[in-house]
Amino acid sequence: LFRSAFELVFAVTNAGIAPASGPWTNQFVISASADGSSAQVIGAAASTNVLAAGDALVVTQAVTLPVSAYGNLYLGVRA
């Protein structure tokens, strides 16, 4: 079961010296720890963009927390 969705806005930045070509997958995770240990994946979205070195892409994605998510949690994105 899931709760209602909310919009998560985040940026993906190419900090490298060469273009970054898709596809890649952004995973949305929750964790009870700030360091992300034991993170639970609650969603994912593929990206097919090409990012030049130093460029960034701002993404808005609908994410839904599972009903089991309660207490103080950290939300993160990993690509």
Short mmCIF file of all heavy atoms in Angstrom, two decimals:
data_model
loop_
_atom_site.label_atom_id
_atom_site.label_comp_id
_atom_site.label_asym_id
_atom_site.label_seq_id
_atom_site.Cartn_x
_atom_site.Cartn_y
_atom_site.Cartn_z
N LEU A 1 0.84 -1.19 0.00
CA LEU A 1 0.00 0.00 0.00
C LEU A 1 0.87 1.24 0.00
O LEU A 1 1.94 1.26 0.59
CB LEU A 1 -0.89 -0.01 1.24
CG LEU A 1 -1.95 -1.10 1.32
CD1 LEU A 1 -2.62 -1.05 2.68
CD2 LEU A 1 -2.95 -0.96 0.22
N PHE A 2 0.35 2.28 -0.62
CA PHE A 2 1.10 3.52 -0.72
C PHE A 2 0.24 4.70 -0.31
O PHE A 2 -0.98 4.66 -0.38
CB PHE A 2 1.59 3.74 -2.17
CG PHE A 2 2.69 2.81 -2.54
CD1 PHE A 2 2.43 1.58 -3.12
CD2 PHE A 2 4.01 3.14 -2.29
CE1 PHE A 2 3.45 0.72 -3.46
CE2 PHE A 2 5.04 2.28 -2.62
CZ PHE A 2 4.76 1.07 -3.21
N ARG A 3 0.91 5.76 0.12
CA ARG A 3 0.26 7.02 0.46
C ARG A 3 0.15 7.85 -0.82
O ARG A 3 0.58 7.43 -1.88
CB ARG A 3 1.08 7.77 1.50
CG ARG A 3 1.22 6.97 2.78
CD ARG A 3 2.06 7.71 3.77
NE ARG A 3 2.26 6.84 4.94
CZ ARG A 3 2.83 7.23 6.03
NH1 ARG A 3 3.29 8.45 6.15
NH2 ARG A 3 2.97 6.40 7.03
N SER A 4 -0.40 9.04 -0.71
CA SER A 4 -0.52 9.88 -1.90
C SER A 4 0.85 10.40 -2.35
O SER A 4 1.78 10.52 -1.56
CB SER A 4 -1.47 11.04 -1.66
OG SER A 4 -1.34 11.57 -0.39
N ALA A 5 0.94 10.69 -3.63
CA ALA A 5 2.20 11.11 -4.25
C ALA A 5 2.50 12.58 -3.93
O ALA A 5 1.61 13.36 -3.65
CB ALA A 5 2.12 10.91 -5.75
N PHE A 6 3.78 12.91 -3.99
CA PHE A 6 4.23 14.30 -3.87
C PHE A 6 5.29 14.53 -4.94
O PHE A 6 5.84 13.57 -5.50
CB PHE A 6 4.77 14.60 -2.47
CG PHE A 6 5.98 13.79 -2.10
CD1 PHE A 6 7.25 14.29 -2.31
CD2 PHE A 6 5.84 12.54 -1.54
CE1 PHE A 6 8.37 13.53 -1.97
CE2 PHE A 6 6.94 11.78 -1.19
CZ PHE A 6 8.21 12.28 -1.41
N GLU A 7 5.56 15.80 -5.25
CA GLU A 7 6.57 16.11 -6.25
C GLU A 7 7.93 16.29 -5.61
O GLU A 7 8.09 17.05 -4.65
CB GLU A 7 6.19 17.38 -7.02
CG GLU A 7 5.10 17.15 -8.02
CD GLU A 7 4.94 18.32 -8.97
OE1 GLU A 7 5.44 19.43 -8.70
OE2 GLU A 7 4.30 18.11 -10.01
N LEU A 8 8.90 15.58 -6.14
CA LEU A 8 10.29 15.68 -5.71
C LEU A 8 11.04 16.41 -6.83
O LEU A 8 10.97 16.00 -8.00
CB LEU A 8 10.87 14.29 -5.51
CG LEU A 8 12.35 14.19 -5.17
CD1 LEU A 8 12.65 14.86 -3.83
CD2 LEU A 8 12.79 12.73 -5.14
N VAL A 9 11.71 17.49 -6.50
CA VAL A 9 12.48 18.25 -7.48
C VAL A 9 13.95 18.13 -7.09
O VAL A 9 14.33 18.39 -5.94
CB VAL A 9 12.06 19.73 -7.50
CG1 VAL A 9 12.88 20.51 -8.51
CG2 VAL A 9 10.57 19.85 -7.80
N PHE A 10 14.78 17.70 -8.04
CA PHE A 10 16.20 17.52 -7.78
C PHE A 10 17.00 17.84 -9.04
O PHE A 10 16.44 17.92 -10.14
CB PHE A 10 16.50 16.10 -7.28
CG PHE A 10 16.14 15.02 -8.26
CD1 PHE A 10 17.09 14.49 -9.11
CD2 PHE A 10 14.83 14.54 -8.34
CE1 PHE A 10 16.75 13.48 -10.01
CE2 PHE A 10 14.50 13.53 -9.22
CZ PHE A 10 15.46 13.01 -10.06
N ALA A 11 18.29 18.02 -8.87
CA ALA A 11 19.17 18.29 -10.01
C ALA A 11 20.18 17.17 -10.16
O ALA A 11 20.69 16.64 -9.17
CB ALA A 11 19.90 19.62 -9.82
N VAL A 12 20.45 16.82 -11.40
CA VAL A 12 21.51 15.87 -11.75
C VAL A 12 22.58 16.70 -12.44
O VAL A 12 22.30 17.39 -13.41
CB VAL A 12 20.99 14.76 -12.70
CG1 VAL A 12 22.13 13.84 -13.10
CG2 VAL A 12 19.86 13.99 -12.05
N THR A 13 23.81 16.64 -11.92
CA THR A 13 24.90 17.45 -12.46
C THR A 13 26.01 16.54 -12.97
O THR A 13 26.39 15.58 -12.29
CB THR A 13 25.47 18.38 -11.37
OG1 THR A 13 24.42 19.20 -10.88
CG2 THR A 13 26.58 19.26 -11.93
N ASN A 14 26.52 16.85 -14.14
CA ASN A 14 27.68 16.14 -14.67
C ASN A 14 28.92 16.88 -14.19
O ASN A 14 29.30 17.92 -14.73
CB ASN A 14 27.63 16.09 -16.20
CG ASN A 14 28.84 15.38 -16.78
OD1 ASN A 14 29.71 14.92 -16.06
ND2 ASN A 14 28.90 15.31 -18.10
N ALA A 15 29.57 16.33 -13.16
CA ALA A 15 30.77 16.94 -12.61
C ALA A 15 32.03 16.45 -13.31
O ALA A 15 33.14 16.80 -12.90
CB ALA A 15 30.86 16.64 -11.11
N GLY A 16 31.87 15.67 -14.36
CA GLY A 16 33.02 15.13 -15.09
C GLY A 16 33.55 16.09 -16.13
O GLY A 16 33.11 17.24 -16.25
N ILE A 17 34.49 15.60 -16.91
CA ILE A 17 35.11 16.42 -17.96
C ILE A 17 34.66 16.01 -19.36
O ILE A 17 35.13 16.56 -20.35
CB ILE A 17 36.66 16.37 -17.86
CG1 ILE A 17 37.17 14.94 -18.01
CG2 ILE A 17 37.13 16.98 -16.54
CD1 ILE A 17 38.68 14.82 -18.13
N ALA A 18 33.77 15.04 -19.43
CA ALA A 18 33.25 14.56 -20.72
C ALA A 18 31.73 14.48 -20.64
O ALA A 18 31.16 14.46 -19.54
CB ALA A 18 33.83 13.17 -21.02
N PRO A 19 31.06 14.47 -21.79
CA PRO A 19 29.60 14.34 -21.77
C PRO A 19 29.16 13.04 -21.10
O PRO A 19 29.84 12.02 -21.20
CB PRO A 19 29.22 14.33 -23.25
CG PRO A 19 30.37 14.96 -23.96
CD PRO A 19 31.58 14.60 -23.15
N ALA A 20 28.04 13.10 -20.42
CA ALA A 20 27.43 11.91 -19.82
C ALA A 20 26.23 11.54 -20.66
O ALA A 20 25.30 12.34 -20.83
CB ALA A 20 27.01 12.20 -18.38
N SER A 21 26.25 10.35 -21.23
CA SER A 21 25.17 9.91 -22.11
C SER A 21 24.25 8.95 -21.38
O SER A 21 24.72 8.07 -20.65
CB SER A 21 25.74 9.21 -23.34
OG SER A 21 26.55 10.10 -24.07
N GLY A 22 22.94 9.11 -21.60
CA GLY A 22 21.98 8.18 -21.03
C GLY A 22 21.98 6.89 -21.82
O GLY A 22 22.71 6.77 -22.80
N PRO A 23 21.22 5.93 -21.44
CA PRO A 23 20.27 6.06 -20.33
C PRO A 23 20.90 5.73 -18.98
O PRO A 23 21.90 5.02 -18.91
CB PRO A 23 19.20 5.03 -20.67
CG PRO A 23 19.95 3.95 -21.39
CD PRO A 23 21.03 4.67 -22.17
N TRP A 24 20.32 6.30 -17.94
CA TRP A 24 20.64 5.93 -16.58
C TRP A 24 19.35 5.95 -15.78
O TRP A 24 18.34 6.46 -16.24
CB TRP A 24 21.70 6.85 -15.95
CG TRP A 24 21.23 8.25 -15.69
CD1 TRP A 24 20.51 8.70 -14.61
CD2 TRP A 24 21.44 9.39 -16.52
NE1 TRP A 24 20.27 10.04 -14.73
CE2 TRP A 24 20.83 10.50 -15.91
CE3 TRP A 24 22.09 9.59 -17.73
CZ2 TRP A 24 20.84 11.77 -16.45
CZ3 TRP A 24 22.10 10.87 -18.27
CH2 TRP A 24 21.49 11.93 -17.63
N THR A 25 19.38 5.38 -14.60
CA THR A 25 18.18 5.30 -13.77
C THR A 25 18.40 6.08 -12.48
O THR A 25 19.41 5.88 -11.80
CB THR A 25 17.84 3.83 -13.43
OG1 THR A 25 17.61 3.13 -14.66
CG2 THR A 25 16.60 3.73 -12.56
N ASN A 26 17.48 6.97 -12.17
CA ASN A 26 17.47 7.66 -10.89
C ASN A 26 16.59 6.85 -9.94
O ASN A 26 15.44 6.56 -10.27
CB ASN A 26 16.90 9.08 -11.03
CG ASN A 26 17.73 9.93 -11.94
OD1 ASN A 26 18.94 10.03 -11.79
ND2 ASN A 26 17.10 10.56 -12.91
N GLN A 27 17.14 6.47 -8.79
CA GLN A 27 16.37 5.74 -7.79
C GLN A 27 16.03 6.68 -6.64
O GLN A 27 16.87 7.47 -6.21
CB GLN A 27 17.16 4.56 -7.23
CG GLN A 27 17.38 3.44 -8.19
CD GLN A 27 18.08 2.27 -7.53
OE1 GLN A 27 18.91 2.44 -6.66
NE2 GLN A 27 17.71 1.07 -7.95
N PHE A 28 14.81 6.58 -6.13
CA PHE A 28 14.35 7.37 -5.02
C PHE A 28 14.33 6.46 -3.81
O PHE A 28 13.72 5.38 -3.85
CB PHE A 28 12.97 7.96 -5.32
CG PHE A 28 12.92 8.54 -6.71
CD1 PHE A 28 12.13 7.96 -7.68
CD2 PHE A 28 13.70 9.62 -7.04
CE1 PHE A 28 12.12 8.47 -8.97
CE2 PHE A 28 13.69 10.14 -8.33
CZ PHE A 28 12.90 9.57 -9.30
N VAL A 29 15.02 6.86 -2.75
CA VAL A 29 15.20 5.99 -1.59
C VAL A 29 14.82 6.72 -0.31
O VAL A 29 14.89 7.96 -0.24
CB VAL A 29 16.65 5.48 -1.50
CG1 VAL A 29 17.02 4.64 -2.71
CG2 VAL A 29 17.64 6.61 -1.32
N ILE A 30 14.43 5.94 0.69
CA ILE A 30 14.24 6.47 2.04
C ILE A 30 15.12 5.65 2.98
O ILE A 30 15.38 4.46 2.74
CB ILE A 30 12.77 6.43 2.50
CG1 ILE A 30 12.18 5.03 2.40
CG2 ILE A 30 11.94 7.45 1.75
CD1 ILE A 30 10.78 4.89 3.00
N SER A 31 15.58 6.31 4.04
CA SER A 31 16.44 5.64 5.01
C SER A 31 16.25 6.30 6.36
O SER A 31 15.99 7.51 6.45
CB SER A 31 17.90 5.75 4.59
OG SER A 31 18.75 5.19 5.57
N ALA A 32 16.40 5.53 7.41
CA ALA A 32 16.36 6.08 8.77
C ALA A 32 17.70 6.74 9.12
O ALA A 32 17.78 7.47 10.10
CB ALA A 32 16.03 4.99 9.77
N SER A 33 18.73 6.51 8.31
CA SER A 33 20.06 7.05 8.57
C SER A 33 20.43 8.11 7.54
O SER A 33 20.17 7.94 6.35
CB SER A 33 21.11 5.94 8.51
OG SER A 33 20.80 4.92 9.42
N ALA A 34 21.08 9.17 8.01
CA ALA A 34 21.50 10.25 7.10
C ALA A 34 22.51 9.76 6.07
O ALA A 34 22.59 10.31 4.98
CB ALA A 34 22.10 11.41 7.91
N ASP A 35 23.28 8.70 6.40
CA ASP A 35 24.27 8.20 5.45
C ASP A 35 23.67 7.27 4.40
O ASP A 35 24.36 6.77 3.52
CB ASP A 35 25.42 7.51 6.18
CG ASP A 35 25.00 6.23 6.90
OD1 ASP A 35 23.83 5.82 6.80
OD2 ASP A 35 25.87 5.64 7.57
N GLY A 36 22.35 7.02 4.48
CA GLY A 36 21.67 6.21 3.48
C GLY A 36 21.82 4.72 3.67
O GLY A 36 21.38 3.94 2.82
N SER A 37 22.42 4.30 4.78
CA SER A 37 22.56 2.86 5.00
C SER A 37 21.18 2.22 5.15
O SER A 37 20.25 2.84 5.65
CB SER A 37 23.43 2.58 6.23
OG SER A 37 22.87 3.17 7.38
N SER A 38 21.06 1.02 4.65
CA SER A 38 19.79 0.28 4.67
C SER A 38 18.66 1.03 3.97
O SER A 38 17.50 0.96 4.36
CB SER A 38 19.37 -0.05 6.11
OG SER A 38 20.35 -0.83 6.73
N ALA A 39 19.01 1.77 2.93
CA ALA A 39 18.01 2.53 2.19
C ALA A 39 17.04 1.60 1.47
O ALA A 39 17.42 0.53 0.99
CB ALA A 39 18.68 3.45 1.17
N GLN A 40 15.79 2.03 1.43
CA GLN A 40 14.73 1.28 0.74
C GLN A 40 14.37 2.04 -0.54
O GLN A 40 14.05 3.22 -0.48
CB GLN A 40 13.51 1.16 1.63
CG GLN A 40 12.32 0.52 0.96
CD GLN A 40 11.06 0.57 1.83
OE1 GLN A 40 11.08 1.02 2.96
NE2 GLN A 40 9.96 0.12 1.26
N VAL A 41 14.44 1.37 -1.67
CA VAL A 41 14.06 1.99 -2.94
C VAL A 41 12.53 2.09 -2.98
O VAL A 41 11.83 1.10 -2.80
CB VAL A 41 14.58 1.18 -4.15
CG1 VAL A 41 14.09 1.80 -5.45
CG2 VAL A 41 16.09 1.10 -4.12
N ILE A 42 12.03 3.31 -3.20
CA ILE A 42 10.58 3.52 -3.25
C ILE A 42 10.11 3.92 -4.65
O ILE A 42 8.93 4.11 -4.87
CB ILE A 42 10.11 4.55 -2.22
CG1 ILE A 42 10.78 5.91 -2.44
CG2 ILE A 42 10.35 4.03 -0.80
CD1 ILE A 42 10.19 7.04 -1.62
N GLY A 43 11.04 4.04 -5.57
CA GLY A 43 10.68 4.37 -6.94
C GLY A 43 11.92 4.56 -7.80
O GLY A 43 13.03 4.65 -7.28
N ALA A 44 11.70 4.61 -9.09
CA ALA A 44 12.81 4.80 -10.03
C ALA A 44 12.27 5.41 -11.31
O ALA A 44 11.09 5.24 -11.64
CB ALA A 44 13.50 3.48 -10.32
N ALA A 45 13.14 6.13 -12.01
CA ALA A 45 12.76 6.71 -13.29
C ALA A 45 13.98 6.75 -14.19
O ALA A 45 15.07 7.13 -13.75
CB ALA A 45 12.19 8.12 -13.11
N ALA A 46 13.80 6.35 -15.42
CA ALA A 46 14.90 6.35 -16.39
C ALA A 46 15.08 7.74 -16.99
O ALA A 46 14.11 8.50 -17.13
CB ALA A 46 14.62 5.35 -17.50
N SER A 47 16.31 8.07 -17.32
CA SER A 47 16.62 9.32 -18.00
C SER A 47 17.44 8.98 -19.24
O SER A 47 18.35 8.16 -19.17
CB SER A 47 17.42 10.25 -17.09
OG SER A 47 17.71 11.46 -17.74
N THR A 48 17.12 9.61 -20.35
CA THR A 48 17.84 9.35 -21.60
C THR A 48 18.59 10.59 -22.07
O THR A 48 19.04 10.64 -23.21
CB THR A 48 16.86 8.89 -22.69
OG1 THR A 48 15.86 9.91 -22.87
CG2 THR A 48 16.19 7.58 -22.32
N ASN A 49 18.73 11.58 -21.20
CA ASN A 49 19.37 12.83 -21.57
C ASN A 49 20.88 12.66 -21.78
O ASN A 49 21.48 11.71 -21.29
CB ASN A 49 19.14 13.88 -20.49
CG ASN A 49 17.68 14.21 -20.34
OD1 ASN A 49 16.91 13.40 -19.84
ND2 ASN A 49 17.29 15.36 -20.78
N VAL A 50 21.47 13.61 -22.47
CA VAL A 50 22.91 13.73 -22.58
C VAL A 50 23.27 15.03 -21.87
O VAL A 50 22.70 16.09 -22.16
CB VAL A 50 23.38 13.79 -24.05
CG1 VAL A 50 24.88 14.05 -24.12
CG2 VAL A 50 23.02 12.50 -24.78
N LEU A 51 24.18 14.95 -20.90
CA LEU A 51 24.62 16.13 -20.17
C LEU A 51 26.06 16.45 -20.53
O LEU A 51 26.95 15.61 -20.35
CB LEU A 51 24.52 15.91 -18.66
CG LEU A 51 23.13 15.88 -18.04
CD1 LEU A 51 23.22 15.59 -16.55
CD2 LEU A 51 22.43 17.20 -18.27
N ALA A 52 26.29 17.65 -21.03
CA ALA A 52 27.65 18.09 -21.30
C ALA A 52 28.39 18.26 -19.97
O ALA A 52 27.76 18.42 -18.92
CB ALA A 52 27.63 19.40 -22.07
N ALA A 53 29.70 18.23 -20.02
CA ALA A 53 30.50 18.43 -18.81
C ALA A 53 30.10 19.74 -18.15
O ALA A 53 29.99 20.78 -18.80
CB ALA A 53 31.98 18.45 -19.16
N GLY A 54 29.80 19.68 -16.85
CA GLY A 54 29.42 20.88 -16.10
C GLY A 54 27.95 21.24 -16.17
O GLY A 54 27.51 22.12 -15.44
N ASP A 55 27.19 20.60 -17.04
CA ASP A 55 25.76 20.92 -17.17
C ASP A 55 24.96 20.21 -16.09
O ASP A 55 25.38 19.22 -15.51
CB ASP A 55 25.22 20.52 -18.54
CG ASP A 55 25.48 21.56 -19.60
OD1 ASP A 55 26.08 22.61 -19.28
OD2 ASP A 55 25.09 21.32 -20.75
N ALA A 56 23.76 20.74 -15.86
CA ALA A 56 22.85 20.14 -14.88
C ALA A 56 21.47 20.03 -15.50
O ALA A 56 21.11 20.77 -16.42
CB ALA A 56 22.80 20.98 -13.61
N LEU A 57 20.71 19.11 -14.97
CA LEU A 57 19.34 18.87 -15.42
C LEU A 57 18.46 18.89 -14.17
O LEU A 57 18.73 18.17 -13.21
CB LEU A 57 19.26 17.50 -16.09
CG LEU A 57 17.90 16.95 -16.47
CD1 LEU A 57 17.27 17.80 -17.56
CD2 LEU A 57 18.02 15.51 -16.92
N VAL A 58 17.43 19.72 -14.16
CA VAL A 58 16.48 19.76 -13.05
C VAL A 58 15.32 18.85 -13.40
O VAL A 58 14.75 18.94 -14.49
CB VAL A 58 15.99 21.19 -12.77
CG1 VAL A 58 14.94 21.19 -11.67
CG2 VAL A 58 17.16 22.07 -12.37
N VAL A 59 15.00 17.95 -12.48
CA VAL A 59 13.97 16.93 -12.70
C VAL A 59 12.87 17.10 -11.66
O VAL A 59 13.15 17.31 -10.49
CB VAL A 59 14.58 15.51 -12.58
CG1 VAL A 59 13.52 14.45 -12.78
CG2 VAL A 59 15.73 15.34 -13.56
N THR A 60 11.63 17.01 -12.10
CA THR A 60 10.48 16.96 -11.20
C THR A 60 9.84 15.60 -11.39
O THR A 60 9.48 15.22 -12.50
CB THR A 60 9.46 18.07 -11.53
OG1 THR A 60 10.11 19.34 -11.41
CG2 THR A 60 8.27 18.02 -10.59
N GLN A 61 9.72 14.86 -10.29
CA GLN A 61 9.23 13.48 -10.36
C GLN A 61 8.21 13.25 -9.26
O GLN A 61 8.42 13.64 -8.12
CB GLN A 61 10.41 12.52 -10.18
CG GLN A 61 10.04 11.07 -10.21
CD GLN A 61 9.62 10.60 -11.59
OE1 GLN A 61 10.23 10.97 -12.58
NE2 GLN A 61 8.58 9.80 -11.65
N ALA A 62 7.10 12.61 -9.60
CA ALA A 62 6.12 12.20 -8.59
C ALA A 62 6.65 10.98 -7.85
O ALA A 62 7.09 10.02 -8.47
CB ALA A 62 4.78 11.89 -9.24
N VAL A 63 6.64 11.04 -6.52
CA VAL A 63 7.12 9.95 -5.68
C VAL A 63 6.05 9.67 -4.63
O VAL A 63 5.39 10.59 -4.14
CB VAL A 63 8.45 10.34 -4.99
CG1 VAL A 63 8.92 9.25 -4.05
CG2 VAL A 63 9.52 10.64 -6.02
N THR A 64 5.90 8.41 -4.29
CA THR A 64 4.91 8.01 -3.28
C THR A 64 5.60 7.23 -2.17
O THR A 64 6.34 6.29 -2.44
CB THR A 64 3.81 7.14 -3.93
OG1 THR A 64 3.24 7.85 -5.02
CG2 THR A 64 2.73 6.80 -2.93
N LEU A 65 5.34 7.63 -0.93
CA LEU A 65 5.89 6.91 0.21
C LEU A 65 5.03 5.69 0.51
O LEU A 65 3.80 5.76 0.44
CB LEU A 65 5.92 7.80 1.45
CG LEU A 65 6.89 8.96 1.45
CD1 LEU A 65 6.70 9.81 2.70
CD2 LEU A 65 8.32 8.46 1.36
N PRO A 66 5.65 4.57 0.87
CA PRO A 66 4.86 3.41 1.27
C PRO A 66 4.20 3.68 2.63
O PRO A 66 4.69 4.48 3.42
CB PRO A 66 5.89 2.29 1.37
CG PRO A 66 7.19 2.97 1.54
CD PRO A 66 7.08 4.30 0.88
N VAL A 67 3.10 3.01 2.89
CA VAL A 67 2.39 3.17 4.16
C VAL A 67 3.30 2.81 5.34
O VAL A 67 3.19 3.38 6.42
CB VAL A 67 1.11 2.31 4.16
CG1 VAL A 67 0.45 2.28 5.52
CG2 VAL A 67 0.14 2.82 3.12
N SER A 68 4.23 1.91 5.12
CA SER A 68 5.13 1.48 6.20
C SER A 68 6.15 2.56 6.58
O SER A 68 6.86 2.41 7.57
CB SER A 68 5.86 0.21 5.79
OG SER A 68 6.64 0.44 4.63
N ALA A 69 6.24 3.65 5.81
CA ALA A 69 7.20 4.72 6.10
C ALA A 69 6.63 5.61 7.20
O ALA A 69 5.60 6.25 7.03
CB ALA A 69 7.47 5.53 4.84
N TYR A 70 7.32 5.63 8.33
CA TYR A 70 6.87 6.47 9.44
C TYR A 70 8.09 6.90 10.24
O TYR A 70 9.18 6.33 10.10
CB TYR A 70 5.88 5.72 10.34
CG TYR A 70 6.45 4.48 10.97
CD1 TYR A 70 7.06 4.55 12.22
CD2 TYR A 70 6.42 3.26 10.32
CE1 TYR A 70 7.61 3.41 12.79
CE2 TYR A 70 6.97 2.13 10.89
CZ TYR A 70 7.56 2.21 12.13
OH TYR A 70 8.11 1.09 12.68
N GLY A 71 7.93 7.91 11.06
CA GLY A 71 9.04 8.40 11.88
C GLY A 71 9.91 9.36 11.09
O GLY A 71 9.52 9.88 10.05
N ASN A 72 11.11 9.60 11.59
CA ASN A 72 12.06 10.50 10.95
C ASN A 72 12.83 9.72 9.88
O ASN A 72 13.58 8.81 10.20
CB ASN A 72 13.03 11.09 11.97
CG ASN A 72 12.33 11.96 12.96
OD1 ASN A 72 11.40 12.68 12.62
ND2 ASN A 72 12.74 11.89 14.22
N LEU A 73 12.62 10.10 8.63
CA LEU A 73 13.28 9.43 7.51
C LEU A 73 13.97 10.45 6.62
O LEU A 73 13.58 11.61 6.55
CB LEU A 73 12.24 8.65 6.68
CG LEU A 73 11.52 7.51 7.39
CD1 LEU A 73 10.38 7.00 6.53
CD2 LEU A 73 12.49 6.40 7.73
N TYR A 74 15.01 10.00 5.94
CA TYR A 74 15.73 10.81 4.96
C TYR A 74 15.31 10.32 3.57
O TYR A 74 15.19 9.12 3.33
CB TYR A 74 17.23 10.66 5.13
CG TYR A 74 17.73 11.20 6.44
CD1 TYR A 74 17.75 10.41 7.58
CD2 TYR A 74 18.14 12.53 6.54
CE1 TYR A 74 18.20 10.92 8.79
CE2 TYR A 74 18.59 13.05 7.74
CZ TYR A 74 18.61 12.23 8.87
OH TYR A 74 19.05 12.74 10.06
N LEU A 75 15.11 11.27 2.68
CA LEU A 75 14.75 10.97 1.30
C LEU A 75 15.95 11.30 0.44
O LEU A 75 16.58 12.35 0.60
CB LEU A 75 13.55 11.83 0.88
CG LEU A 75 13.08 11.74 -0.56
CD1 LEU A 75 12.57 10.34 -0.86
CD2 LEU A 75 12.00 12.77 -0.82
N GLY A 76 16.30 10.40 -0.46
CA GLY A 76 17.46 10.64 -1.31
C GLY A 76 17.21 10.19 -2.74
O GLY A 76 16.25 9.47 -3.03
N VAL A 77 18.10 10.64 -3.61
CA VAL A 77 18.09 10.25 -5.02
C VAL A 77 19.48 9.76 -5.35
O VAL A 77 20.47 10.40 -5.02
CB VAL A 77 17.73 11.42 -5.95
CG1 VAL A 77 17.75 10.98 -7.40
CG2 VAL A 77 16.37 12.01 -5.59
N ARG A 78 19.57 8.61 -6.00
CA ARG A 78 20.86 8.13 -6.47
C ARG A 78 20.73 7.77 -7.94
O ARG A 78 19.73 7.23 -8.37
CB ARG A 78 21.39 6.99 -5.62
CG ARG A 78 20.51 5.77 -5.53
CD ARG A 78 21.08 4.77 -4.55
NE ARG A 78 20.19 3.62 -4.43
CZ ARG A 78 20.21 2.78 -3.41
NH1 ARG A 78 21.07 2.95 -2.43
NH2 ARG A 78 19.38 1.77 -3.39
N ALA A 79 21.78 8.11 -8.68
CA ALA A 79 21.75 7.86 -10.12
C ALA A 79 22.76 6.80 -10.47
O ALA A 79 23.72 6.59 -9.79
CB ALA A 79 22.07 9.13 -10.89
#
